[in-house]
């Protein structure tokens, strides 16, 4: 290790070095340089964080018994800090992820939406009451926290995805152990420190950095009641199967291969704008990115030309210098994504725009790959079937709406999709027929607002619970039903008369 700083865990309201001496590099992707190292937590470090969270939850004075008013006060204070210092958080995010500052600010804004939803917990977490379900018997339900919950978040949204989960977990009375991505870990510590500043008691939110060792211990730990995960489908399946095998409630959101179906009657300028924005924003490192455009004959040639013309105006470079698209997260990932362009050419597709030759406005060693457009992609090519997770937009030509719908429904994923059309009947038919969890009608990235819930179908979601919104609130609580009868005080006193039934 060099003299670069080392990012420690956050346990019990303060930085903690833990027991492991393993570390990993943290890069600035726009420079291609290591800027710090991050601790890789051991199983013992996870155990320490879980024990701290359990102690913070338990007892009459613990967070699990804290008043709704106290939790709401913390959430409102946390929201105020996020609003006041959102530019600081966005800059930190860009320095480790690489996405442009405007995109980072948008990510923070979407995370704040969930914090604001968490501020409404006094209303949305209310139970129900039925009076006189039997003679003098009432029944009511109450929602209680689970206990210690685990969150495992990905590199592509280091602020937003953790905020999909921990505000609701905390607002409903749980305590949290968060394992962020080791590729861009600093945002998690920033958020934990901000919550401490907002008045959150020590130990309610803990951060353990690391790799598979830390993840597996969270999945197996007997005192962790639930796991929330976002990442690739193979890892999501591992998290779901391992977590449930150890008796945990699990929501595991996996990968995607999102299609955008463009009908001949669509506004092609709108569709071209949407394809560029949804295909290349955040360098395509989004589970809701559009990676396949299904062009229904005869609009393919015109649409590809419009997309290509727009792509010539995009600037790839350092996200702090006004570029439209930043670098990819690591050199290895950049090389993997670029490899799909070689596969596309070998499979007979047309490389309309090849991002491998981009002249980036940034350091020579940055992890650059420019926006890439591949036309006439075959549906047996891995360029079509794999989740590439980079700035590669594939064009598949289809003869009809029905053919396009069949391609979408036959895929292994079911995260997001979009249709572009001016035909209301076609749009309504699409939303009924398509087997996907989140649908856009002339909207390319249909991410629900915070008071609805996020999640796909098929191999894009393991478990029964979507993220945030009402589903998130239900995930972090468990319901008790109480049947109650109180004796009527009027029965008391002496009465020597003959007993009578009433």
């Amino acid at each position: 290790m060099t003299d670069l700083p080392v990012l420690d865990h956050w346990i019990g309201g303060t930085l903690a070095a833990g027991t492991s001496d393993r570390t990993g590099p943290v890069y600035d992707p726009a420079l291609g340089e290591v800027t710090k190292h991050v601790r890789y937590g051991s199983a013992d470090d996870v155990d320490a964080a879980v024990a701290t969270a359990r102690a913070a939850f338990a007892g009459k004075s613990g967070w699990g018994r804290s008043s709704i008013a106290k939790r709401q006060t913390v959430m409102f204070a946390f929201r105020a800090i996020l609003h006041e210092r959102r530019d600081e958080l966005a800059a930190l995010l860009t320095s480790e992820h690489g996405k442009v500052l405007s995109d980072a600010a948008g990510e923070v804004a979407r995370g704040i939406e969930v914090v604001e939803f968490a501020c409404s917990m006094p209303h949305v977490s209310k139970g129900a009451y039925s009076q006189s379900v039997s003679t003098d018997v009432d029944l009511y339900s109450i929602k209680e926290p689970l206990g210690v919950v685990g969150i495992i978040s990905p590199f592509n949204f280091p602020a937003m995805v953790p905020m999909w989960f921990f505000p609701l977990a905390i607002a409903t009375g749980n305590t949290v152990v968060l394992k962020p991505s080791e590729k861009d870990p600093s945002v998690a510590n920033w958020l934990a420190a901000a919550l401490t500043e907002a008045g959150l008691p020590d130990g309610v939110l803990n951060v353990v950095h690391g790799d598979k060792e830390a993840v597996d211990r969270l999945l197996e730990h007997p005192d962790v009641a639930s796991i929330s995960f976002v990442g690739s489908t193979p890892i999501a399946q591992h998290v779901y199967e391992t977590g449930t095998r150890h008796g945990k409630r699990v929501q595991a959101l996996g990968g995607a291969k999102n299609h955008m179906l463009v009908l001949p009657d669509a506004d092609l300028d709108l569709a071209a704008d949407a394809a560029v924005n949804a295909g290349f924003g955040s360098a395509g490192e989004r589970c809701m990115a559009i990676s396949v455009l299904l062009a229904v004959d005869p609009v393919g040639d015109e649409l590809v030309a419009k997309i290509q013309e727009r792509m010539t105006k995009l600037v790839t470079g350092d996200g702090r210098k006004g570029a439209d698209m930043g670098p990819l997260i690591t050199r290895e990932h950049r090389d993997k994504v670029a490899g799909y362009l070689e596969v596309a050419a070998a499979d007979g597709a047309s490389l309309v725009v090849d991002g491998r030759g981009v002249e980036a406005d940034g350091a020579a060693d940055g992890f650059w790959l420019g926006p890439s457009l591949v036309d006439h992609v075959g549906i047996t090519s891995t360029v079509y079937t794999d989740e590439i997770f980079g700035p590669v937009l594939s064009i598949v030509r289809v003869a009809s709406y029905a053919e396009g719908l069949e391609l979408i429904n036959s895929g292994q994923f079911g995260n997001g999709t979009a249709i572009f059309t001016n035909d209301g009947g076609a749009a309504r038919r699409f939303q009924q027929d398509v087997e996907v969890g989140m649908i856009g009608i002339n909207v390319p990235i249909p991410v629900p607002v915070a008071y609805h819930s996020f999640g796909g179908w098929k191999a894009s979601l393991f478990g029964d619970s979507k993220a945030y919104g009402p589903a998130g609130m239900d995930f972090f609580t468990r319901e008790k039903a109480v049947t109650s009868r109180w004796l009527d005080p009027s029965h008391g006193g002496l009465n020597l008369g003959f007993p009578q039934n009433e």
Side-chain angles (χ1 to χ4, degrees):
M1 193 185 305
T2 67
D3 293 331
L4 293 173
V6 178
L7 185 69
D8 288 328
H9 314 297
W10 183 276
I11 299 175
T14 189
L15 293 170
T19 62
S20 172
D21 59 0
R22 294 192 307 127
T23 64
V26 180
Y27 286 87
D28 183 326
L31 302 178
E33 297 178 354
V34 178
T35 58
K36 67 184 67 166
H37 291 81
V38 59
R39 301 278 182 196
Y40 279 7
S42 65
D44 288 342
D45 295 327
V46 174
D47 289 351
V50 172
T52 300
R54 184 173 175 81
F57 175 83
K60 186 175 181 180
S61 60
W63 189 249
R65 296 287 185 90
S66 61
S67 69
I68 292 175
K70 171 63 175 176
R71 301 174 201 163
Q72 191 179 33
T73 297
V74 171
M75 282 297 118
F76 272 110
F78 181 50
R79 174 188 178 274
I81 291 170
L82 289 171
H83 272 287
E84 181 181 351
R85 296 165 56 190
R86 61 198 305 168
D87 291 343
E88 175 189 331
L89 180 56
L92 177 62
L93 195 163
T94 292
S95 71
E96 292 185 357
H97 177 275
K99 64 179 65 178
V100 301
L101 281 172
S102 59
D103 195 14
E107 173 182 343
V108 173
R110 292 308 297 264
I112 291 173
E113 287 183 10
V114 181
V115 175
E116 291 171 342
F117 178 68
C119 291
S120 69
M121 280 300 107
H123 173 68
V124 300
S125 64
K126 289 187 296 187
Y129 194 100
S130 295
Q131 183 172 297
S132 298
V133 296
S134 184
T135 303
D136 294 332
V137 176
D138 304 326
L139 191 147
Y140 52 95
S141 61
I142 55 178
K143 297 180 184 296
E144 294 190 346
L146 304 178
V148 179
V149 302
I151 299 170
I152 305 165
S153 63
F155 75 82
N156 58 323
F157 289 104
M160 183 182 73
V161 168
M163 285 196 282
W164 280 0
F165 301 117
F166 73 71
L168 301 188
I170 291 170
T172 50
N174 300 280
T175 57
V176 178
V177 178
L178 166 63
K179 208 300 287 184
S181 171
E182 66 276 19
K183 295 180 176 67
D184 44 11
S186 297
V187 166
N189 280 32
W190 191 101
L191 293 169
L195 269 166
T196 297
E197 183 180 338
L200 189 70
D202 294 345
V204 175
L205 176 64
N206 307 275
V207 179
V208 177
H209 301 289
D211 54 6
K212 189 176 185 298
E213 181 178 350
V215 168
D216 285 345
R217 183 55 183 157
L218 265 180
L219 297 179
E220 298 167 359
H221 200 294
D223 290 336
V224 175
S226 74
I227 295 290
S228 302
F229 172 85
V230 176
S232 68
T233 286
I235 305 303
Q237 186 169 6
H238 167 74
V239 166
Y240 177 74
E241 292 175 352
T242 306
T244 54
R245 187 168 66 249
H246 286 84
K248 303 184 191 316
R249 182 180 292 188
V250 180
Q251 51 182 176
L253 283 69
K257 191 73 176 184
N258 303 318
H259 294 62
M260 172 175 156
L261 180 62
V262 181
L263 302 190
D265 71 317
D267 182 327
L268 295 189
D269 287 314
L270 175 65
D273 287 342
V276 171
N277 294 339
F280 306 125
S282 196
E285 294 172 329
R286 293 171 173 163
C287 68
M288 288 295 284
I290 291 297
S291 53
V292 177
L293 190 152
L294 301 173
V296 177
D297 289 336
V299 301
D301 289 344
E302 183 180 358
L303 186 55
V304 168
K306 287 179 179 291
I307 293 172
Q308 182 182 8
E309 187 272 332
R310 285 159 172 77
M311 290 174 65
T312 62
K313 301 175 183 178
L314 298 179
V315 176
T316 301
D318 192 322
R320 294 157 294 206
K321 297 181 179 180
D324 299 299
M325 192 187 86
L328 276 73
I329 186 69
T330 64
R331 182 177 287 105
E332 293 76 15
H333 185 58
R334 186 271 314 276
D335 293 345
K336 178 182 178 182
V337 173
Y340 280 99
L341 299 176
E342 296 179 12
V343 172
D347 288 348
S350 302
L351 295 183
V352 180
V353 180
D354 188 341
R356 291 173 293 183
V358 68
E359 294 184 4
D361 182 15
D365 291 333
F367 308 141
W368 309 116
L369 178 67
S372 301
L373 181 63
V374 187
D375 195 8
H376 298 287
V377 174
I379 61 173
T380 60
S381 172
T382 55
V383 176
Y384 174 75
T385 58
D386 290 359
E387 183 183 26
I388 296 176
F389 218 63
V392 178
L393 178 62
S394 298
I395 308 295
V396 175
R397 309 296 186 102
V398 294
S400 64
Y401 163 89
E403 183 183 349
L405 178 70
E406 173 60 24
L407 283 179
I408 298 171
N409 286 349
S410 62
Q412 65 169 315
F413 301 110
N415 209 44
T417 190
I419 186 171
F420 276 71
T421 180
N422 283 315
D423 184 336
R428 190 170 187 274
R429 178 182 172 189
F430 182 76
Q431 74 179 38
Q432 292 175 327
D433 292 346
V434 74
E435 297 172 6
V436 174
M438 293 173 284
I439 302 161
I441 298 174
N442 297 315
V443 175
I445 305 179
V447 176
V449 294
Y451 41 89
H452 288 262
S453 298
F454 179 103
W457 289 8
K458 299 189 284 189
S460 293
L461 176 66
F462 295 86
D464 298 323
S465 179
K466 293 188 174 186
Y468 66 77
M473 192 277 294
D474 288 340
F475 180 81
F476 288 116
T477 59
R478 52 188 176 181
E479 187 174 272
K480 282 181 177 176
V482 182
T483 304
S484 171
R485 178 171 62 190
W486 293 99
L487 297 180
D488 187 341
S490 65
H491 79 88
L494 298 176
N495 184 347
L496 301 184
F498 191 82
Q500 300 182 45
N501 296 321
E502 296 180 0

